[in-house]
């Protein structure tokens, strides 16, 4: 009972901090393009929720937070097979919540958060019942997003390994359907992006955890201890590495699969720690404490990222700059009774979410922070620190 209360407390604190974060960030250009661009499953969910509850930042990110909450619950259920101790499962959940990539997927409107939930749901159904019970879900996934093609490829490898002919044929068919519906991108001349890909993986999982999970996957391969989690985590990782030799990859399509290996890593770490005498557990404690502190610091920095502007000399260098300014800028424009502007396309899409349309009456353009002040200036400040400055002028159309 006590462990359920602790889990509930962890989830409550996590959701409260995520909800707080929604009040400090604006819609990004990427999110605006997804919301107002070509049709997608995520766009359909977002627009449905926004049309019901209104166009606010909290409502915009509500579906992602909801998928995140379900993902945590599913991961806790799945981890019961790999971690016998309730205490270990709780630590496992905390590490998952603190991962930089998981925080991002819980806030940023993109496919990553949904894919994490979808993959965990598939694994939960598989663990609870049989592989055959996942067939309807797999068919549905094939029509939702192109990123699930790597799941089908992983299951082809898994079914070949387990000699499951029905699952093999089904996933080969689903790969064909995915190719037909979404195609495959392979543009430009071959370029080497391997180091970029590895750097992104390290940033999403932190270097220590990424290296450790990579080691666990390699170790299980050598020991022939592969399972469905191993295939789902490893095959997309190998594909992403191979593709990175030729082109820049979209990490949102691959990172959700690597996260699935977390229960395997937790299982090996827990068993390796417990089989050793107390005097030989020091190195494991150091690795865990160092990783946990790194994750905790990163979580605090992400949640309270606006405070970093106080210490950053050049505000445009802030890592979350693309998710700032737009909301406050729209508020300042409304104070001036300006409800439409002509501006850069990326900013125009963002302002549109906050009720500032596009027209030829007013021109809005960004200027440097040290430019001479004019009556037409609009300056955005965080913690009394100027971070954005623009000029808005009335265009004479006569």
């Amino acid at each position: 009972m006590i462990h359920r209360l602790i889990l509930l407390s962890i989830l409550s604190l996590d959701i409260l901090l995520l909800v707080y974060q929604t009040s400090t960030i604006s819609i990004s250009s990427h999110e605006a393009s997804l919301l107002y661009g070509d049709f997608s499953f995520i766009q359909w969910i977002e627009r449905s929720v926004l049309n019901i509850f209104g166009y606010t930042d909290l409502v915009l990110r509500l579906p992602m937070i909801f998928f995140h909450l379900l993902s945590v619950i599913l991961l806790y259920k799945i981890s019961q097979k790999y971690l016998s101790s309730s205490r270990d499962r709780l630590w496992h959940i905390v590490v998952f919540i603190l991962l930089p990539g998981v925080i991002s997927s819980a806030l940023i409107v993109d496919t990553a958060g949904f894919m994490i939930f979808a993959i965990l749901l598939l694994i939960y159904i598989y663990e609870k019942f049989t592989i055959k019970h996942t067939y309807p879900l797999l068919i549905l996934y094939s029509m939702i997003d192109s990123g699930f093609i790597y799941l089908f490829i992983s299951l082809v490898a898994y079914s070949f390994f387990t000699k499951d002919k029905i699952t093999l044929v089904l996933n080969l068919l689903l790969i064909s359907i995915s190719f037909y519906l979404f195609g495959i991108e392979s543009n430009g001349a071959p370029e080497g992006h391997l180091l970029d890909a590895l750097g992104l993986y390290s940033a999403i999982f932190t270097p220590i955890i990424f290296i450790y999970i990579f080691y666990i996957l390699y170790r299980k391969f050598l020991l022939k201890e592969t399972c469905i989690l191993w295939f789902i985590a490893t095959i997309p990782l190998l594909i992403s590495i191979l593709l990175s030799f030729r082109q820049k990859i979209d990490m949102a399509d691959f990172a959700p699969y690597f996260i699935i290996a977390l229960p395997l890593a937790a299982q090996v770490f827990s068993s390796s720690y417990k089989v050793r005498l107390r005097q030989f557990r020091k190195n494991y404690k150091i690795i865990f404490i160092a990783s946990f502190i790194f994750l905790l610091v990163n979580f605090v920095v992400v949640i309270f990222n606006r405070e970093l502007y106080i210490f950053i000399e050049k505000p445009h260098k802030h890592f979350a700059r693309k998710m700032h300014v737009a909301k406050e800028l729209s508020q300042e424009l409304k104070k001036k009774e300006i409800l439409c502007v002509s501006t850069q396309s990326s900013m125009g899409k963002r302002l549109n979410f906050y009720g500032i349309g596009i027209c030829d009456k007013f021109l809005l353009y960004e200027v440097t922070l040290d430019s001479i002040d004019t009556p037409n200036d609009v300056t955005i400040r965080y913690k009394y620190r100027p971070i954005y400055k623009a000029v808005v002028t009335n265009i004479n159309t006569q």
Side-chain angles (χ1 to χ4, degrees):
M1 184 64 181
I2 184 64
H3 291 98
R4 290 187 177 182
L5 290 175
I6 295 174
L7 177 62
L8 181 61
S9 301
I10 293 171
L11 289 175
S12 300
L13 180 60
D14 181 35
I15 298 304
L16 284 174
L17 289 172
L18 290 175
V19 169
Y20 162 76
Q21 180 69 345
T22 64
S23 67
T24 67
I25 56 179
S26 304
I27 187 172
S28 68
S29 176
H30 171 74
E31 292 172 319
S33 296
L34 187 148
L35 192 62
Y36 298 114
D38 296 335
F39 175 81
S40 66
F41 180 71
I42 295 298
Q43 182 196 77
W44 175 76
I45 292 177
E46 286 291 338
R47 286 195 170 184
S48 299
V49 175
L50 288 167
N51 288 333
I52 295 173
F53 299 104
Y55 280 64
T56 66
D57 285 290
L58 176 59
V59 176
L60 174 70
R61 307 191 188 282
L62 204 57
M64 297 298 104
I65 295 175
F66 180 67
F67 286 135
H68 170 72
L69 176 62
L70 294 179
S71 297
V72 174
I73 295 172
L74 285 171
L75 186 64
Y76 184 81
K77 294 288 186 180
I78 292 169
S79 65
Q80 291 177 349
K81 177 181 176 181
Y82 301 91
L83 298 167
S84 58
S85 169
S86 297
R87 180 181 178 184
D88 290 345
R89 291 197 294 272
L90 289 173
W91 278 113
H92 176 229
I93 290 301
V94 171
V95 170
F96 173 77
I97 289 173
L98 295 179
L99 285 174
V102 173
I103 302 171
S104 299
S105 68
L107 288 169
I108 298 176
V109 179
D110 202 348
T111 58
F114 172 73
M115 286 187 65
I116 293 173
F117 159 73
I119 298 168
L120 286 171
L121 177 61
L122 180 95
I123 293 171
Y124 175 75
I125 293 175
Y126 168 80
E127 301 285 5
K128 190 77 173 178
F129 304 101
T130 65
I131 190 69
K132 292 181 179 180
H133 287 84
T134 66
Y135 291 170
L137 210 55
L138 289 170
I139 295 171
L140 179 63
Y141 289 171
S142 69
M143 297 179 285
I144 288 179
D145 191 88
S146 60
F148 286 111
I149 191 171
Y150 306 111
L151 173 63
F152 307 145
I153 295 173
S154 302
L155 292 176
V156 165
Y158 174 70
S159 56
F160 181 81
F161 176 77
T162 57
K163 299 179 181 180
D164 185 345
K165 294 181 180 179
I166 297 177
T167 305
L168 176 63
V169 173
L170 174 63
N171 282 279
L172 286 173
L173 179 61
L174 295 179
I175 291 172
S176 302
I177 293 173
S178 186
F179 270 125
Y180 176 76
L181 292 177
F182 304 104
I184 185 170
E185 292 186 11
S186 183
N187 301 321
E191 299 177 2
H193 291 279
L194 176 61
L195 293 180
D196 294 338
L198 295 178
L200 286 172
Y201 273 119
S202 297
I204 291 171
F205 296 95
T206 73
I208 297 175
I209 293 179
F210 170 65
I211 293 172
Y212 184 74
I213 295 178
F214 190 92
Y215 160 73
I216 294 302
L217 295 176
Y218 178 68
R219 172 181 168 175
K220 286 190 172 292
F221 171 75
L222 293 180
L223 297 175
K224 298 181 179 180
E225 296 178 352
T226 55
C227 62
I228 191 170
L229 262 66
W230 185 92
F231 280 95
I232 292 177
T234 304
I235 301 300
L237 173 65
L238 295 177
I239 293 174
S240 68
I241 291 175
L242 290 174
L243 287 177
S244 67
F245 282 107
R246 187 193 188 282
Q247 64 194 51
K248 187 175 182 179
I249 62 172
D250 185 358
M251 195 54 67
D253 288 339
F254 294 99
Y257 294 100
F258 196 71
I259 290 176
I260 303 305
L262 200 60
L264 298 178
Q267 180 189 42
V268 174
F269 186 91
S270 177
S271 60
S272 299
Y273 178 83
K274 290 178 180 179
V275 297
R276 284 167 171 76
L277 298 174
R278 290 185 179 274
Q279 58 268 34
F280 299 113
R281 295 177 176 177
K282 184 177 179 180
N283 290 336
Y284 284 86
K285 287 182 179 178
I286 292 174
I287 292 173
F288 180 80
I289 292 172
S291 300
F292 187 76
I293 291 174
F294 194 90
L295 287 171
L296 197 58
V297 170
N298 177 82
F299 185 82
V300 172
V301 167
V302 170
I303 296 298
F304 303 101
N305 66 82
R306 286 192 11 171
E307 278 67 22
L308 294 179
Y309 280 111
I310 301 173
F311 310 101
I312 298 176
E313 184 178 350
K314 298 180 179 180
H316 67 275
K317 296 289 186 181
H318 193 291
F319 73 91
R321 169 75 174 194
K322 294 180 180 179
M323 302 191 72
H324 292 155
V325 173
K327 175 168 53 180
E328 293 80 8
L329 179 58
S330 68
Q331 293 169 351
E332 292 299 319
L333 291 173
K334 288 177 181 178
K335 288 179 183 178
K336 294 177 178 289
E337 298 184 351
I338 298 174
L339 299 179
C340 64
V341 294
S342 174
T343 187
Q344 188 181 10
S345 175
S346 58
M347 180 58 78
K349 291 179 181 178
R350 299 177 68 193
L351 291 174
N352 184 49
F353 179 80
Y354 298 105
I356 304 296
I358 299 174
C359 68
D360 295 328
K361 186 176 181 181
F362 295 96
L363 175 64
L364 174 74
Y365 57 94
E366 185 179 0
V367 295
T368 58
L369 292 173
D370 57 358
S371 62
I372 299 174
D373 292 337
T374 69
N376 296 325
D377 285 354
V378 178
T379 303
I380 306 302
R381 292 178 172 84
Y382 287 169
K383 301 298 180 182
Y384 307 103
R385 172 81 186 276
I387 67 161
Y388 175 89
K389 188 176 183 181
V391 174
V392 56
T393 59
N394 194 337
I395 303 174
N396 185 1
T397 58
Q398 295 182 350

